[in-house]
């Protein structure tokens, strides 16, 4: 049974090397809808009627800035923490740090499917692929972002149609196959209750959509800015600094999910003018701060490095058992 459903008629959608095609079984006229594979390896499952703009999601400029900044390792501690928590959830017959967390694979011998929602260009996704799941669906509404992720996945041999082999043993490598999808988070083209875990890294929180695709005991990992995140930068850019209310979304998830763990991570960053420019471009501060404030800060950093602290909070939730 396919993981995917057609975004147009919700019929089962079958992946293939050249064209994905639904069987049309739920369409009034039994119409089968085709979706071509882009040369980079991604599939566009975002119908025009689900777009709120001509080019939804992050711009190419924002994506390029984020690639440079993240590849420089500034947010490495967050990537490491997220992958550590995922390994605990995905561990086979291994003890885990939190007794409230039961490894997924001890409960279900079937393939483990994970969804990285709002995956962007894939900095976190590529690391997640090595934590133990079988299939990793990387979804974002930004086509330029998914193009970047697909290209990197193809080079690494991780795309869904590539066979990843260990060069020495010729055995299948312990790396998930990645399905890069351009899609709406609110209208996920995924079969109900087919996903074992979802990660949302600075991305939308959609309780109904998450509940619909997760298995009965599925997990949700959410990363948000913590109190004090980039404080010195925000103080330089804004006259009035509003503190992050990181857990405000938890009550929205409460009907479906139970919070079972919270982790905090922080890192001190000394940034050059180029690093700082990329950081501003990849965040909402790019358009929320006055241009004069941005230019003044960048001018000051031309002569002296800028220090700020990145602070994150990671929430681990599990789907609440139905009564």
């Amino acid at each position: 049974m396919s993981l995917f459903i057609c975004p147009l008629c919700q019929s089962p959608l079958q992946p293939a090397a050249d064209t994905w095609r639904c069987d049309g079984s739920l369409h009034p006229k039994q119409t089968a809808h085709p979706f071509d594979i882009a040369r980079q390896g991604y599939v566009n499952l975002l119908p025009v009627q689900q777009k709120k703009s001509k080019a939804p999601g992050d711009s190419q400029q924002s994506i390029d800035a984020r690639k440079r900044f993240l590849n420089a390792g500034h947010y490495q501690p967050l990537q490491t923490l997220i992958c550590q928590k995922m390994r605990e959830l995905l561990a086979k017959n291994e003890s885990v740090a939190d007794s409230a967390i039961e490894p997924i694979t001890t409960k279900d011998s079937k393939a483990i499917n994970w969804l990285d929602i709002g995956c962007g260009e894939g900095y976190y996704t590529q690391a997640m692929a090595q934590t133990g799941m079988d299939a990793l669906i990387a979804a974002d509404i930004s086509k330029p972002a998914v193009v970047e992720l697909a290209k990197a996945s193809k080079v690494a041999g991780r795309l869904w149609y590539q066979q990843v082999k260990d060069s020495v043993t010729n055995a299948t490598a312990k790396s998930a196959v990645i399905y890069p999808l351009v899609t709406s988070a609110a209208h996920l083209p995924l079969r109900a209750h087919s996903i074992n875990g979802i990660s949302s890294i600075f991305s939308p929180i959609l309780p109904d959509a998450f509940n619909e695709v997760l298995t009965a005991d599925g997990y949700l990992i959410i990363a948000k800015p913590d109190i004090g995140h980039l404080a010195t930068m925000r103080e330089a850019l804004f006259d009035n600094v509003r503190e992050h209310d990181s857990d405000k979304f938890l009550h929205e998830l409460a009907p479906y999910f139970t919070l079972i763990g919270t982790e905090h991570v922080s890192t001190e960053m000394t940034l050059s003018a180029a690093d700082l420019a990329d950081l501003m471009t990849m965040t909402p501060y790019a358009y929320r701060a006055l241009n004069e404030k941005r230019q003044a800060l960048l001018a000051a950093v031309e002569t002296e490095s800028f220090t700020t602290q990145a602070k994150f909070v990671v929430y681990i939730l599990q789907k609440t058992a139905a009564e």
Side-chain angles (χ1 to χ4, degrees), residues 162-174:
Q162 294 173 308
Q163 292 293 317
V164 182
K165 298 289 186 178
D166 184 278
S167 59
V168 178
T169 65
N170 200 40
T172 302
K174 293 181 179 179

Side-chain angles (χ1 to χ4, degrees), residues 235-256:
E235 288 165 1
L237 292 174
F238 302 101
D239 293 329
N240 297 306
V241 178
R242 295 172 59 184
E243 196 49 79
H244 290 287
D245 186 9
S246 303
D247 61 0
K248 64 181 180 181
F249 63 89
L250 288 176
H251 74 280
E252 301 172 12
L253 291 167
Y256 304 122

Side-chain angles (χ1 to χ4, degrees), residues 36-79:
D36 291 336
I37 311 303
R39 59 181 175 80
Q40 296 92 345
Y42 72 90
V43 186
N44 193 331
L45 298 179
L46 181 66
V48 173
Q49 57 267 37
Q50 292 180 11
K51 291 184 177 183
K52 294 182 179 180
S53 64
K54 186 176 181 180
D58 292 338
S59 66
Q60 189 66 56
Q61 181 184 21
S62 175
I63 293 161
D64 290 342
R66 190 164 60 225
K67 279 180 63 179
R68 290 190 296 266
F69 186 85
L70 294 178
N71 288 341
H74 297 299
Y75 282 8
Q76 178 74 47
L78 175 62
Q79 184 196 67

Side-chain angles (χ1 to χ4, degrees), residues 3 19 39 58 96 108 172 188 212 244 304:
L3 274 174
T19 301
R39 59 181 175 80
D58 292 338
V96 292
D108 192 345
T172 302
L188 292 166
E212 175 67 19
H244 290 287
E304 185 176 354

Side-chain angles (χ1 to χ4, degrees), residues 131-143:
T131 59
M133 82 280 291
D134 298 289
L136 177 54
I137 296 90
D140 202 291
I141 202 168
S142 168
K143 179 179 173 181

